[in-house]
């Protein structure tokens, strides 16, 4: 049923008398034409009152022509042109002196508490759009989400029971699902207005969300008799409901209030690779008991600039593995990703990303970023995957207590696929479970320096503790460099690197 | 800078077993009919199931070939994480590398107690002073 018919007259009268607004009346009469709801409130009120005074079917026919005329005049356009005033002047005003023109103050609807009254009109739309514009977000579409106070559901139920009863007298039925949902009607009316004002379409899948929370303190007590309102409404018997709640619902004094209008953008993801050149920089902030133990961190040095450019609320940093504070990451770097939460800016060209990368690299000599780019959430998952399969390449500076000669370490180069048993290193044992891990050193290459030092390049399975392989960790990693050389060995420096060829440590 | 909380129990420098002429006959982690340190099993990050040690809890008993028996005590309160089983098969390592491969046990004190425990220990210098005093007194 796209519009009102003769049959609806008694219901319309009943609801008008009990203080229900025109749009809610449409809903209970199953009016499905969106355009009808979009007429300005004042016009609808007059509309209905006048239609009630028509004696016959022909009179009700008056309702259709203006609408038909509207449709004809705005053929294929999106029906969001709200200035219907010119057209509605055609509606005959019958008995204009007795037609109680008491429209000086608008009665607050006893069902929607003003949601389909004030809060569909231009003033409120303006208020919302002003808030959105001042929040300064970048967006190409929006989703408008509305939170309504629970008493609306309760009042809806009471109104339905009232209407059902009345229709029953006429031998008609009205199923709950036949009624047009309040939220749906609300969106029919407000979406086109918001869309026009903001200049972008409404889209249920949009990442940019504008949300409004409505409250009606005056009637908050009404729901007391129901626990978990929505669930209870499903279960409660009609008689029990009517015992606790007035039918028809009472007319409130006040409108709802819009408590808050908030905007939120879906997260964006930035990925890249980082190099770490400092031996005194943790990956994430090092804070114990509220005290920062080391200045800055890889995470902060990278995200500081991203946060500023994207104007996000917060970030989440993740990487494919990580290195110790005192270990450098050379070569093509370690993959990382940053989730930027609720960013105000979301569009960046490849040029702009390059500039952003340059800014980060210019800001500190402790780290360097490359391949900075916007990625999807799925890409992050792929980055973390295969962390176990990755092979790592390292360079370690080794010290020995007893003197060594070139010949003493040459044999290391010939060892392939060396199996290690590594108990959880003592240095992490306080926060990791005790276990033995079997790990493989694929290849090694030694570079003699002097009688107590040499450099060792190793290619190992992911998850191998290199430091422990060098010093043995109280014999809890076997074999280890010390046991292989029959000396006491220790590690002075460690770098993570990609080996281009054995002679070079760095690739740029 | 960082405090790791994990403690490694080893023989002190001046322990009789580390003096010249001592040969270890056997090491026994069974410290009472009901308690063997070898049965210690810990699980998870919080090291559930660990035997709890007080300062005077014995870790093991070591016998030397000259008939002496020494009980090695925990000296600190905490959860026993592991005992060094490799000294069972190779007791010599206890004397050759007492501070590294020849360690006795690994203990994790309670978080709240770890600071006070660390502060209650002697520094290398303080220990040397104690030894000096001991030597002077017996001389």
């Amino acid at each position: 049923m796209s519009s009102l018919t003769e049959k609806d007259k008694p219901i319309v009268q009943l609801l008008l008398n009990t203080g229900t607004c025109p749009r809610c009346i449409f809903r209970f009469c199953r009016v499905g034409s969106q355009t009808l709801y979009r007429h300005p409130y004042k016009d609808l009120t007059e509309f209905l009152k006048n239609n009630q005074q028509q004696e016959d079917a022909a009179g009700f026919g008056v309702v259709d022509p203006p609408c038909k005329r509207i449709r004809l005049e705005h053929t294929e356009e999106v029906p969001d042109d709200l200035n219907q005033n010119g057209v509605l002047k055609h509606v005959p005003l019958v008995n204009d002196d007795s037609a109680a023109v008491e429209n000086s103050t608008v009665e607050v609807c006893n069902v929607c508490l003003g949601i389909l009254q004030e809060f569909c009109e231009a003033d409120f739309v303006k208020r919302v759009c002003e808030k959105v514009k001042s929040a300064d977000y970048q967006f190409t579409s929006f989703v408008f989400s509305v939170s309504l106070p629970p008493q609306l559901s309760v009042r809806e139920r009471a109104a339905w029971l009232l209407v059902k009863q009345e229709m029953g007298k006429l031998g008609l039925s009205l199923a709950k699902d036949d009624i047009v949902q309040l939220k749906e009607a609300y969106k029919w009316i407000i979406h086109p207005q918001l869309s026009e004002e903001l200049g972008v379409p409404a889209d249920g899948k949009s990442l940019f969300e504008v949300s409004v929370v409505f409250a009606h303190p005056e009637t908050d007590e009404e729901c007391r008799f129901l626990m978990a309102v929505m669930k209870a409404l499903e279960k409660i018997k009609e008689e029990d409901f009517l015992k606790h709640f007035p039918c028809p619902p009472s007319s409130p004094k006040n409108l709802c209030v819009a408590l808050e209008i908030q905007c939120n953008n879906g997260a964006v993801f930035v990925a890249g690779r980082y190099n770490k050149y400092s031996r005194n920089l943790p990956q994430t902030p090092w804070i114990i008991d509220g005290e920062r133990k080391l200045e800055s961190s890889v995470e902060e040095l990278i995200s500081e600039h991203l946060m500023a450019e994207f104007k996000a609320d917060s970030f989440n940093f993740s990487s494919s593995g990580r290195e110790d504070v005192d270990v450098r990451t050379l070569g093509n770097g370690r993959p990382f990703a940053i989730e930027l939460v609720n960013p105000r800016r979301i569009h960046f060209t490849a040029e702009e990303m390059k500039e952003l990368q340059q800014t980060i690299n210019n800001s500190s000599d402790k780290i360097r970023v490359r391949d900075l780019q916007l990625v999807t959430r799925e890409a992050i998952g792929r980055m973390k995957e295969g962390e176990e399969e990755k092979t790592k390449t390292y360079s370690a500076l080794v010290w020995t207590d007893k003197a060594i000669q070139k010949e003493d370490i040459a044999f290391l180069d010939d060892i392939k696929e060396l199996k290690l048993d590594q108990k959880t290193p003592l240095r992490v044992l306080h926060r990791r479970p005790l276990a033995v891990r079997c790990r493989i050193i694929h290849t090694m290459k030694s570079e003699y320096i002097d009688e107590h030092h040499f450099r060792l390049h190793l290619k190992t399975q992911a998850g191998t503790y290199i430091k422990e392989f060098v010093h043995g960790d109280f014999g809890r990693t076997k074999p280890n460099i010390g046991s292989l050389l029959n000396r006491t060995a220790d590690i002075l420096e460690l770098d993570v690197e990609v080996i281009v060829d054995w002679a070079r440590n760095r690739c740029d | 800078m960082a405090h790791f909380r994990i403690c490694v129990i080893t023989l002190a420098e001046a322990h009789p077993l580390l003096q010249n002429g001592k040969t270890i006959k056997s090491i026994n982690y069974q410290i009472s009919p009901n308690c063997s340190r070898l049965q210690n099993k810990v699980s998870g990050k919080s090291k559930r199931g660990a035997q709890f040690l007080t300062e005077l809890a014995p870790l093991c008993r070591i016998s030397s070939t000259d008939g002496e028996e020494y009980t090695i005590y925990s000296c600190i309160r905490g959860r026993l994480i592991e005992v060094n089983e490799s000294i069972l098969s190779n007791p010599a390592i206890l004397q050759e590398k007492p501070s590294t491969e020849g360690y006795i046990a690994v203990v994790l004190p309670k978080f709240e107690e770890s600071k006070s425990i660390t502060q209650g220990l002697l520094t290398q210098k303080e220990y040397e002073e104690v030894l000096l005093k001991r030597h002077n007194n017996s001389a």
Side-chain angles (χ1 to χ4, degrees), chain A residues 286 288-289 293-294 423 426-427 429-434 474-476 478 487-488, chain B residues 1-2 4-6 8 42 44-45 47 81-82 86 97 99-101 103 106 108:
Chain A
W286 193 335
I288 298 180
D289 297 332
K293 295 292 174 185
L294 269 183
K423 281 195 191 159
L426 292 177
R427 66 184 167 95
L429 193 50
H430 61 288
R431 56 182 167 87
R432 299 250 179 92
L434 179 66
F474 290 73
R476 297 166 73 257
K478 288 195 179 84
R487 287 163 171 76
T488 300
Chain B
M1 172 176 64
F4 292 124
R5 297 174 49 209
I6 284 281
V8 182
V42 299
K45 261 189 238 181
K47 320 298 185 291
I81 306 300
E82 69 181 36
S86 56
K97 295 197 173 154
S99 306
T100 54
E101 269 178 75
Y103 73 96
V106 176
L108 179 65

